[in-house]
Amino acid sequence: MDTRPGTVRRRLSRGLSALLGAFVLAGMLGSVPAQAASPPRLTARAAALYAPATGQFLFTEHPGDELAVASTTKLMTALIVLEHVRDLGTVFTQNNYYPAAGDSQIGLVPGERMTVRDLLTAMMLPSGDDAAEDLAYNVGHGSIARFVAMMNARARQLGLTATHYSTPVGLDTPGNHSSAADLDRLAAYDLAHSRAFAHMVAQPRAVLQSGSHVRVVANLNNLVSEYPWIDGVKTGHTRAAGYVLVASARRFGLRLISSVLGTTSEASRDANSLALLDWGYASFRLRTPLRRGQVLARPAVQDQPGLHPRLVAARGLRRVVGITQRVALRIRAPRQISGPLQRGAALGTATVLVAGRPVARIPLVLSAAVPAVPPLVAAGQFLTRPLSLIVLIMLVGIAGAVVLNARQRRRSRSRRRELEAA
């Protein structure tokens, strides 16, 4: 099966020029319009498609519904372990945990010793409940309840508002639920904050060297072995949850994370996930309309000919946009400024428009300070201005008239004194 999008990618056409004043920059920053695929019709109870680079949800279907999520609960179990155990070579001893016959397990027995790395791998790939129990018991300092409280506290810190845990394993217990949107965000956080985790969930299979004997485990996420661009992340299945999959993928420089909840079989789970990811890559691309420090205007400076300081974007912007959507910039900046002005002074804005709608407004700031006009230069410029010359001539004339009048008055007084003396 060829999973590559059928649409043609074309290079960006950039027409950005640092013009001054208020205008719309019509240069295309998105790709040339192409026929976009229609959103997929899924058979999942809930689903979401997420772009971690920009925090955008590209597709949602009941994204906030609180649902049973089975072993995708272990995404939080793994996060708590990774945040509390720095050395993954640390050895834990299995507690007195006897999983039910139907539970997913790797056959750990009470007292068996295994490294945290192998326990995490056993938990994430074959979804070993016994491995999850071992990790929770030891990181919780002998208390599963304490570990679950840590899970819930972390969920609140991450803003996972539809998520609550009552188990580190993911069995159908009251109060254990999450949502499609929360699972996407949590998986993105796990992948971004732990290279060990990202490496683990991208393996089709792994060898566990520690423990009472060597074990070879396979990843229940079949898509990892079948599609090289899919690199995680976690499956789940219980009677209440149905079949669940949170999948991560990377193509065309864009990572996408999908979640499908409540499907009826493994085949349906995989088909829904593939449909969602394929549609995402056929329909969207990651664009960078603005980069931090990008020069967007060079205004003149009053009374300082030849000086054209740079107005630059205060921050960059990345955005996932539809392949048919135009991305443009509207630049508003003064034609002329006057010093002194500090470096970083905001003197304009760049508005990013997607399909004609503003999605971000970014300040334009000075990349360097603008000095005041030197006093001698300012005086010289003042004196050479036509109006200044007229005023100066008038002042000189008035001063001359005052002096002449004073002389005449002195002469008159002198003559009167001479006449009186005679």
Side-chain angles (χ1 to χ4, degrees):
M1 176 180 176
D2 184 4
T3 61
R4 294 175 299 176
T7 56
V8 179
R9 297 177 61 207
R10 298 184 181 178
R11 293 179 178 268
L12 299 177
S13 170
R14 300 184 182 275
L16 185 60
S17 57
L19 300 179
L20 302 175
F23 64 100
V24 175
L25 183 68
M28 279 285 292
L29 296 179
S31 51
V32 176
Q35 184 63 40
S38 299
R41 293 185 177 181
L42 303 181
T43 57
R45 196 177 304 167
L49 183 64
Y50 182 62
T54 59
Q56 293 170 257
F57 280 96
L58 309 179
F59 177 96
T60 57
E61 196 167 277
H62 305 293
D65 287 5
E66 296 179 357
L67 300 171
V69 292
S71 284
T72 56
T73 295
K74 292 165 182 165
L75 290 170
M76 181 60 82
T77 305
L79 178 60
I80 299 302
V81 172
L82 288 164
E83 290 183 336
H84 287 80
V85 181
R86 292 190 177 184
D87 181 6
L88 298 187
T90 301
V91 175
F92 283 169
T93 300
Q94 176 72 19
N95 62 325
N96 294 325
Y97 174 68
Y98 296 91
D103 289 355
S104 176
Q105 53 185 296
I106 62 167
L108 291 173
V109 297
E112 187 169 357
R113 291 165 59 79
M114 183 172 279
T115 65
V116 171
R117 179 180 285 103
D118 280 354
L119 287 169
L120 282 167
T121 303
M123 181 179 71
M124 297 309 297
L125 270 61
S127 202
D129 292 348
D130 46 0
E133 178 82 7
D134 190 340
L135 290 165
Y137 178 82
N138 283 281
V139 174
H141 302 290
S143 171
I144 300 296
R146 183 183 293 117
F147 186 88
V148 171
M150 295 161 67
M151 294 171 69
N152 285 316
R154 199 71 179 98
R156 289 191 296 271
Q157 290 171 353
L158 294 175
L160 306 179
T161 56
T163 297
H164 186 271
Y165 300 106
S166 56
T167 167
V169 174
L171 300 177
D172 290 334
T173 57
N176 200 80
H177 55 76
S178 188
S179 68
D182 279 3
L183 285 175
D184 278 358
R185 291 192 188 100
L186 177 57
Y189 190 90
D190 284 355
L191 290 168
H193 287 78
S194 174
R195 291 183 180 180
F197 177 88
H199 172 73
M200 250 173 237
V201 297
Q203 300 175 100
R205 63 191 57 81
V207 178
L208 310 181
Q209 299 285 354
S210 59
S212 60
H213 60 280
V214 174
R215 295 172 169 91
V216 179
V217 295
N219 196 336
L220 295 181
N221 182 0
N222 304 319
L223 301 183
V224 168
S225 59
E226 294 176 11
Y227 301 93
W229 47 278
I230 295 180
D231 56 7
V233 63
K234 188 71 188 79
T235 62
H237 172 246
T238 62
R239 180 175 296 179
Y243 289 84
V244 182
L245 175 59
V246 182
S248 65
R250 187 173 184 84
R251 301 173 82 181
F252 312 129
L254 173 63
R255 177 172 294 284
L256 294 179
I257 296 179
S258 67
S259 58
V260 294
L261 284 67
T263 60
T264 57
S265 66
E266 287 186 9
S268 174
R269 175 197 74 189
D270 292 351
N272 277 273
S273 297
L274 275 176
L276 195 50
L277 289 169
D278 272 339
W279 173 78
Y281 285 115
S283 304
F284 298 94
R285 292 293 182 270
L286 179 63
R287 303 300 184 202
T288 307
L290 273 180
R291 290 179 173 82
R292 183 181 178 184
Q294 184 175 340
V295 179
L296 295 172
R298 301 199 68 159
V301 180
Q302 185 177 349
D303 298 327
Q304 299 189 61
L307 184 59
H308 291 275
R310 295 179 299 174
L311 288 179
V312 302
R315 64 179 184 275
L317 178 73
R318 291 195 297 172
R319 183 88 179 176
V320 175
V321 300
I323 62 171
T324 63
Q325 292 180 315
R326 295 182 58 141
V327 182
L329 293 178
R330 179 187 294 136
I331 309 300
R332 296 187 183 275
R335 293 179 178 275
Q336 187 180 73
I337 60 177
S338 58
L341 290 168
Q342 293 182 344
R343 180 177 179 268
L347 297 176
T349 59
T351 302
V352 180
L353 301 102
V354 176
R357 296 182 178 181
V359 297
R361 236 172 227 100
I362 296 173
L364 302 184
V365 299
L366 282 169
S367 63
V370 175
V373 181
L376 291 178
V377 174
Q381 290 173 342
F382 176 79
L383 293 175
T384 56
R385 292 175 183 170
L387 181 59
S388 299
L389 286 174
I390 294 171
V391 172
L392 182 61
I393 291 170
M394 291 175 64
L395 290 174
V396 170
I398 292 170
V402 169
V403 171
L404 182 59
N405 184 52
R407 287 179 180 176
Q408 289 176 345
R409 291 174 63 186
R410 284 197 299 271
R411 287 175 184 173
S412 297
R413 286 197 298 269
S414 178
R415 286 177 184 172
R416 284 198 299 271
R417 284 195 296 269
E418 288 176 356
L419 292 172
E420 290 172 356

